[in-house]
Amino acid sequence: MPKSDSKPAVKASKDNPELRLIGTPFRRVDGRTKVTGQLQFADDLSFPRMVYVKLVRSTVPHANIKNIDCSEARKMPGVVDIMLGEELPVPYGILPVSRDEHALAINKVRFVGDPVAAVAALTEDQAHEAALAVKVKYEVLPTIDSIQTALKTPEPRIHEYGDEGNLHKKVSLEFGAVDEGFEQADVVLEDTVFFQGNTHLPIEQHAAVAVAEDEDRVTLYSSTQTPHYVHRALARVLQIPASRIRVIACSVGGGFGGKTDPFNHEIIVTKLALKLGRPVKATLTREEVFYCHRGRHPVLMNLRTGFRKDGSMTAQHLRTALDGGGYGSYGVASTFYTGALQTTTYTLPAYRFEAVRAFTNKPPCGPKRGHGTPQPRFAYEIHLDKAAEKLRIDPAELRLRNLLPANSVTANWLEVGSTGLRQCIEAVVAGSGWKERYGKLPEGRGLGLACGAYMCGAGLPIYWNHMPQSGVQLKLDRSGGVAIFCGQAEVGQGSDSVLAAIVAEILGISLADVRLCVADTDLTPVDLGSYSSRVTLMMGQAAMQAAERARELIAKAVGAQLEIPENYLVFADNRVFYSGDPDKGLSFSEAVIAAEARFGTLGTTGSYTPPRAPGRYRGAGVGPSPTYSFTAAILEVEVDPQTGLYNVDHVWLAHDIGRAINPVLVLGQIEGSVYMGLGEAIMEEQEFRRLPKRLSPSLVHKMPSLLEYKSPGFHDMPEITSYLVETDDERGPFGAKEVGQGPLLPIMPALANAVYDAVGVRVDQVPIRPDLVLKGLQAKAKGKEARVGPANFPEIDFGDPVLVHTPEQGGDGRAVDDPKAKRRTGVGSSTGTMKERDQALKEKDSAALTTN
């Protein structure tokens, strides 16, 4: 291990017991040498001591860096090193198309909290004090504080890439004859709604420890959901072979999407560990976690839908505008996700989707539970309730009439397999007494219904390749134990339990005989990480394949030894026995011995690659999934008409789980989704404020602590009645689907619909704060429209759409201008510019609303 550039190795003593690390988690131990696994704890050896890192963060939202003065900080006690961005010049980012981040800002900062320097010292307090002594001189640039400002301010650009000006990404897609669909409608409704951004709020803050093992090898221990992607980012930025970097994802104390990016502190501690030859640790404060963010995008939406008198839909046009913050993160994917899954619940014969993501001088947004889909789902479900009222159809009945059939291909070419949404709606309708109570409760009490759908893993990896998305390796020991190796990351969702249970079920052994080695890039096969509700399905399928291969080997050996056909053998109760005579068999350990004697050392592998989706147009990579889960929820609220204050008294939620591998875990995920959904619906918001210009140009986080950022407590939780709808999806392991994210989606719109049923006020934005309810009540009392929400959607040139024929039109999943597309003329054609078509449709919509 190389000596530090700045400090000599520290001699351990009884007063200063230190530790030598060889590559596993560690703790301080007094007294004699102790060995635990690969660790040696000693008090009589010379070796480097751990250093702690604090980041110097920008105090202005948008500026050029003119000078960084570290002279005073370097003189302070305990300081080992100070690192600037020039030492890490290679950019990175989770998406290959948005590698726009540096571990430490070079030349420019893009939000308050952007790291500009890293201070390493012998204690965390010393690092903090020295970080305060670093002086940074800025040349302040104009602040882009909103989508509207980004649209009006193309220069100066926050980044020198993107579709135009300060617009990161623009999307324009059209599936089917949208204009004709609106012409066929009896009623056309239009809504503009807003969904405020919010953050993940995990109990555990971000933290990372890096340990240099020799001249050019290093191990990073991190609180991450995606060790494989962190591993790739480290190799890219540090410019060393990936084989010399090891990433171990420690058990994560909550992530919810906020720990799926590679982060600057992970790269910084790894670089410093290699540079100094010391263990290096960084633990972010709660305020710094707010700066890391990657949470829910604020999204402004405009939704227009055509309905026939029977409630069926003829066409839909959705426009979304996302406030992306200062960096790309998952933003390109997030932009597509605000429209991609809109077609998975109800039949939409024609669909136009336009979206834009703006760069702003705020912490970067990214994926939070439900990634990009809660916002448009909120818009869609309150929109449907308004349509039901207009058409005089019960909201539950309207949804049932429009359900997408099982085994369908949607207008935007998503392949939907099993669907239990009908059973979900029927379950919550019956449980809540909807038919007897909706619209009939006393003033101030109301019921609201909403539905949702979510993917069971993204169909494509984040970087394009043809390799499996998940791999599992088994080692079978002659003692009867089974070791499972898999790169999946346990983030509190119970994936370790699911992995062990699947293998144990197939091999007929107890969980006590299973050992797990997970989330270690040196020791485990690749799994892409815990995001997009992919782990149970993808890891589960890989585990099934590995276990079935092991079972096949064992069955061959036992069948030969007992002279019994392999297909007559049963694996259960830690035994392998003849189905016709359970007494005739071997213990599992004896069966493994028989197999090892016949085949040699026993080890098997399994992997999973999702089926290819039918969409072939540009943008079709976002949205496909092996299968989809479905959810319906009804909320009951009590609203005080005098103050707007309200309580959620009961939640009925039914989820299409496919099959519950562990029902207790499933119920926990449902209740966690209800909790998080209520937080977003009622109180949580990642809000910013401008300081007076005479004092500062800063755009600062309004509430970067748990004191000000409100989220529900135990006392805020209502009674929850959960229903598990099992559809046994053939693409899931044992028929299982996801449950980690889907149940959140209907909570926010169901609350908005319940408030309307209670007091007749429409709050078309999230969070649905009591003061907004009161504002609507006051408008209602004055005879005005009892609605609170955005008035309009900005004029945006989304460009010419990518036109794709739907399956009903005989399309093949490709854009019509794709040379490989089927030649069809006059189908779904659209004429005129987008602006002219929009204006004509607005006039038609206005006339339709007046007529009906």
Side-chain angles (χ1 to χ4, degrees):
M1 185 179 290
K3 296 290 184 68
S4 164
D5 291 359
S6 307
K7 299 286 181 180
V10 178
K11 176 72 174 180
S13 67
K14 291 182 178 179
D15 296 327
N16 185 29
E18 297 297 335
L19 47 89
R20 181 173 64 197
L21 296 116
I22 306 178
T24 55
F26 51 88
R27 65 184 188 276
R28 299 168 65 92
V29 177
D30 292 318
R32 62 187 181 281
T33 299
K34 295 187 178 181
V35 178
T36 305
Q38 296 182 59
L39 274 184
Q40 293 183 1
F41 299 93
D43 59 8
D44 58 351
L45 298 172
S46 295
F47 53 87
R49 64 184 287 186
M50 178 181 287
V51 297
Y52 300 84
V53 169
K54 283 294 179 182
L55 301 179
V56 179
R57 295 181 180 272
S58 171
T59 57
V60 295
H62 195 198
N64 291 322
I65 300 171
K66 304 305 292 182
N67 182 57
I68 302 176
D69 182 0
C70 305
S71 56
E72 292 301 317
R74 292 187 186 278
K75 301 174 186 176
M76 297 184 70
V79 173
V80 175
D81 193 24
I82 298 177
M83 190 163 64
L84 304 181
E86 288 74 14
E87 294 191 52
L88 293 165
V90 179
Y92 68 95
I94 186 65
L95 299 185
V97 296
S98 300
R99 287 176 177 146
D100 57 4
E101 298 186 61
H102 288 90
L104 295 166
I106 300 175
N107 300 325
K108 180 188 275 193
V109 293
R110 295 172 172 88
F111 66 94
V112 171
D114 212 355
V116 298
V119 178
L122 296 178
T123 70
E124 198 168 19
D125 287 344
Q126 289 173 334
H128 175 71
E129 292 298 323
L132 294 176
V134 174
K135 305 300 180 186
V136 186
K137 184 178 180 181
Y138 298 103
E139 177 189 31
V140 174
L141 299 171
T143 299
I144 311 299
D145 62 356
S146 66
I147 298 165
Q148 290 79 1
T149 305
L151 290 167
K152 297 174 184 177
T153 315
E155 297 288 343
R157 300 184 73 179
I158 294 175
H159 289 282
E160 294 306 314
Y161 82 103
D163 282 355
E164 66 178 63
N166 283 305
L167 302 184
H168 178 202
K169 182 65 180 177
K170 294 199 297 184
V171 175
S172 184
L173 298 168
E174 187 166 330
F175 307 93
V178 176
D179 295 348
E180 293 176 20
F182 280 117
E183 290 172 0
Q184 295 165 5
D186 297 312
V187 174
V188 178
L189 294 181
E190 183 172 2
D191 278 308
T192 301
V193 303
F194 178 65
F195 199 113
Q196 178 60 281
N198 49 70
T199 199
H200 313 84
L201 217 67
I203 294 175
E204 179 197 37
Q205 295 141 230
H206 296 254
V209 176
V211 182
E213 298 181 3
D214 50 42
E215 291 291 341
D216 59 357
R217 293 185 65 88
V218 64
T219 297
L220 173 73
Y221 304 88
S222 185
S223 175
T224 178
Q225 296 176 239
T226 53
H228 174 65
Y229 290 129
V230 172
H231 185 241
R232 285 175 56 85
L234 289 173
R236 173 181 171 82
V237 176
L238 301 180
Q239 297 286 283
I240 59 177
S243 60
R244 297 175 188 174
I245 301 170
R246 180 183 183 187
V247 176
I248 298 174
C250 306
S251 294
V252 175
F256 314 114
K259 297 172 182 175
T260 58
D261 280 77
F263 283 101
N264 42 42
H265 64 277
E266 295 170 320
I267 296 169
I268 290 165
V269 298
T270 307
K271 173 68 173 180
L272 282 169
L274 287 168
K275 178 182 178 181
L276 303 176
R278 298 168 177 261
V280 181
K281 181 178 183 179
T283 303
L284 303 190
T285 65
R286 178 61 61 179
E287 182 174 350
E288 288 179 300
V289 174
F290 278 93
Y291 296 143
C292 278
H293 192 40
R294 317 298 161 127
R296 188 88 70 215
H297 282 76
V299 182
L300 181 65
M301 294 160 281
N302 178 267
L303 181 63
R304 188 167 64 246
T305 309
F307 296 87
R308 293 190 179 91
K309 291 178 181 179
D310 64 359
S312 61
M313 288 180 273
T314 61
Q316 185 174 102
H317 182 190
L318 172 65
R319 295 184 291 170
T320 66
L322 295 76
D323 183 336
Y327 291 96
S329 184
Y330 285 84
V332 171
S334 305
T335 307
F336 281 102
Y337 273 130
T338 59
L341 301 190
Q342 201 79 340
T343 58
T344 53
T345 44
Y346 313 113
T347 300
L348 266 178
Y351 177 49
R352 181 185 298 141
F353 169 54
E354 296 169 315
V356 64
R357 183 183 192 260
F359 284 125
T360 59
N361 295 123
K362 301 175 185 175
C365 297
K368 186 187 175 187
R369 203 173 196 166
H371 190 189
T373 62
Q375 301 96 319
R377 181 55 55 180
F378 173 75
Y380 201 175
E381 294 294 323
I382 63 175
H383 189 67
L384 287 178
D385 260 38
K386 293 179 183 181
E389 183 177 33
K390 183 78 175 178
L391 297 167
R392 298 184 179 180
I393 302 173
D394 178 87
E397 178 62 25
L398 178 69
R399 290 167 170 83
L400 289 170
R401 291 183 188 182
N402 281 286
L403 289 181
L404 185 75
N407 303 310
S408 297
V409 178
T410 67
N412 60 336
W413 293 91
L414 300 181
E415 190 173 13
V416 177
S418 68
T419 168
L421 186 52
R422 178 176 295 276
Q423 298 95 305
C424 290
I425 294 173
E426 291 171 347
V428 296
V429 163
S432 65
W434 172 272
K435 293 182 179 178
E436 299 77 27
R437 303 171 66 218
Y438 174 70
K440 304 170 186 176
L441 295 173
E443 177 71 13
R445 296 194 71 87
L447 296 173
L449 166 68
C451 301
Y454 199 65
M455 60 179 56
C456 299
L460 293 177
I462 286 175
Y463 64 98
W464 180 254
N465 66 80
H466 295 287
M467 293 178 286
Q469 290 200 31
S470 186
V472 170
Q473 185 173 7
L474 303 185
K475 180 185 76 70
L476 287 82
D477 188 81
R478 62 188 66 174
S479 67
V482 176
I484 308 174
F485 300 84
C486 180
Q488 65 87 16
E490 171 65 70
V491 296
Q493 83 278 42
S495 58
D496 282 359
S497 172
V498 170
L499 175 60
I502 287 174
V503 172
E505 176 72 17
I506 292 172
L507 296 180
I509 60 178
S510 67
L511 289 174
D513 294 316
V514 172
R515 294 290 182 268
L516 295 181
C517 177
V518 297
D520 184 328
T521 60
D522 260 15
L523 302 182
T524 62
V526 168
D527 179 272
L528 297 185
S530 292
Y531 64 93
S532 78
S533 279
R534 57 177 299 283
V535 177
T536 291
L537 190 142
M538 297 190 182
M539 172 205 73
Q541 289 285 31
M544 285 186 68
Q545 187 180 78
E548 286 167 352
R549 287 172 172 173
R551 177 180 170 132
E552 183 180 351
L553 291 173
I554 294 171
K556 284 182 178 179
V558 173
Q561 181 171 321
L562 299 181
E563 299 182 340
I564 298 171
E566 299 167 26
N567 58 331
Y568 283 84
L569 292 174
V570 176
F571 287 65
D573 299 325
N574 282 72
R575 296 181 67 242
V576 182
F577 55 87
Y578 176 40
S579 59
D581 181 5
D583 292 333
K584 188 175 182 180
L586 302 176
S587 68
F588 185 76
S589 60
E590 291 170 336
V592 171
I593 290 171
E596 187 173 341
R598 179 169 179 150
F599 301 110
T601 300
L602 288 184
T604 61
T605 62
S607 58
Y608 179 76
T609 302
R612 188 176 182 185
R616 299 289 185 274
Y617 57 90
R618 185 175 178 84
V622 177
S625 178
T627 191
Y628 299 85
S629 71
F630 297 88
T631 312
I634 290 176
L635 273 62
E636 182 170 353
V637 299
E638 182 176 9
V639 184
D640 183 347
Q642 302 303 313
T643 64
L645 294 169
Y646 62 87
N647 287 315
V648 178
D649 292 336
H650 202 129
V651 175
W652 294 266
L653 190 144
H655 184 70
D656 171 13
I657 184 63
R659 177 164 293 277
I661 291 177
N662 186 325
V664 174
L665 288 178
V666 170
L667 291 172
Q669 288 296 306
I670 288 175
E671 293 174 7
S673 287
V674 170
Y675 166 83
M676 187 168 282
L678 289 175
E680 295 192 29
I682 298 170
M683 63 187 75
E684 293 190 37
E685 49 187 337
Q686 180 98 339
E687 187 62 88
F688 295 81
R689 61 188 175 91
R690 296 295 298 267
L691 298 181
K693 290 185 178 180
R694 60 184 175 82
L695 298 178
S696 169
S698 288
L699 176 70
V700 298
H701 200 297
K702 191 175 181 180
M703 46 191 78
S705 81
L706 294 183
L707 291 176
E708 292 86 13
Y709 184 94
K710 302 302 180 186
S711 67
F714 286 114
H715 62 285
D716 297 307
M717 286 296 289
E719 183 178 351
I720 301 172
T721 302
S722 301
Y723 305 90
L724 305 186
V725 174
E726 296 192 318
T727 52
D728 285 331
D729 194 285
E730 62 181 9
R731 290 188 171 179
F734 296 104
K737 296 185 183 182
E738 75 87 35
V739 69
Q741 304 187 61
L744 174 142
L745 301 180
I747 299 301
M748 293 75 79
L751 176 59
N753 291 335
V755 168
Y756 180 74
D757 185 46
V759 292
V761 170
R762 277 285 173 200
V763 181
D764 289 348
Q765 64 185 67
V766 167
I768 305 166
R769 300 193 312 265
D771 63 295
L772 301 179
V773 177
L774 180 60
K775 184 177 179 180
L777 287 165
Q778 292 169 342
K780 181 181 178 183
K782 295 176 182 178
K784 299 179 180 179
E785 182 185 15
R787 176 191 178 273
V788 179
N792 52 62
F793 190 89
E795 288 292 330
I796 301 173
D797 179 9
F798 292 99
D800 292 331
V802 174
L803 301 175
V804 183
H805 295 324
T806 66
E808 287 71 22
Q809 292 178 304
D812 60 0
R814 292 183 170 88
V816 296
D817 60 355
D818 186 329
K820 297 180 181 179
K822 291 180 181 178
R823 290 290 133 211
R824 293 180 63 87
T825 59
V827 180
S829 60
S830 299
T831 59
T833 66
M834 290 297 294
K835 190 172 184 180
E836 290 169 345
R837 290 163 55 197
D838 279 348
Q839 183 60 38
L841 284 170
K842 285 180 181 178
E843 292 172 0
K844 174 178 170 54
D845 294 353
S846 178
L849 285 169
T850 302
T851 303
N852 292 284

